[in-house]
Every structure is written in structure tokens, then in C-alpha cells.
Amino acid sequence: MESLPEPAWVVQLPDGTYAYTRPTDLPVQAQVPVVQHIHHAPPDRTVQRIALGAGVGAGTVAAGVYFGPLLVGVLTAIAANLALLAFLAAVCAWGVVTVVKNLDSRGRAGKGRG
């Protein structure tokens, strides 16, 4: 831990603004540092708090946290497969329509009904 740099101190000045400085460099009345870890955003736990507040157990919340992203991934994979199948069906239908348009009434290749 000795090799780590000293953390940046964020202090609130008397006028309400924040400044990056050491608390020892400030006057006596503003020596209470406000250490903010800006790079660590708190996770969004709104859904879990609502669920726990509604009486749902912690196990259910944990299952939702685990299976929620898993469900999104599965649904995305299914949607990708269906999109590929729809594209292949469209290509096959286009090919069948093109072949049928180029055949005459007797089943021979030709240009129109001649």
C-alpha cells in the first residue's frame, strides 16, 4: 500500500464549492475533508429496494439479480436466431418467385408466354 499515490482530497469550501487540495493547506474553519470516489459509481439497486420493501424475500431478489441478465442474454440469442431464419426464408422465397416467373406454362425455361 505504500507504493500507491496519496488520494486526491476534495474539500468543500465555505462558499459551497468543492476544490481538490490537501486539508492542511486550508484555513482552520474548512478542514473537514469530503472524500469522494468519483470513479466508483454506486450500483443501481432501485428494483431490489422496491422488491424488499414490497415484502419479497432476499432470496427472490438475489435470484432476480442472477437470472435477470441471464434472461436478457437468452432472449437476445433467440431474437438473433429468429432474425437469421427470417432472412433465410426471405431469400428462399425470392429465389422460388424468381424461378417460377422465368418458367412458361409448360414448365420450360423461357422469356414470358411467347
Side-chain angles (χ1 to χ4, degrees):
M1 296 295 267
E2 291 82 24
S3 64
L4 294 176
E6 183 179 334
W9 290 92
V10 180
V11 294
Q12 186 174 12
L13 300 176
D15 62 353
T17 59
Y18 293 92
Y20 288 97
T21 184
R22 293 182 181 192
T24 56
D25 297 341
L26 295 174
V28 176
Q29 71 264 15
Q31 284 196 355
V32 178
V34 177
V35 180
Q36 293 179 344
H37 296 283
I38 298 171
H39 58 282
H40 289 169
D44 185 18
R45 296 190 177 116
T46 306
V47 175
Q48 291 88 339
R49 287 184 180 138
I50 291 172
L52 287 172
V56 177
T60 305
V61 174
V65 169
Y66 179 77
F67 288 114
L70 195 63
L71 179 64
V72 170
V74 167
L75 292 177
T76 303
I78 291 172
N81 288 336
L82 289 177
L84 181 63
L85 288 175
F87 177 73
L88 289 176
V91 169
C92 290
W94 173 78
V96 168
V97 169
T98 304
V99 169
V100 169
K101 279 185 180 179
N102 286 327
L103 293 177
D104 63 3
S105 61
R106 296 184 196 137
R108 292 179 293 167
K111 286 282 186 185
R113 298 185 184 243

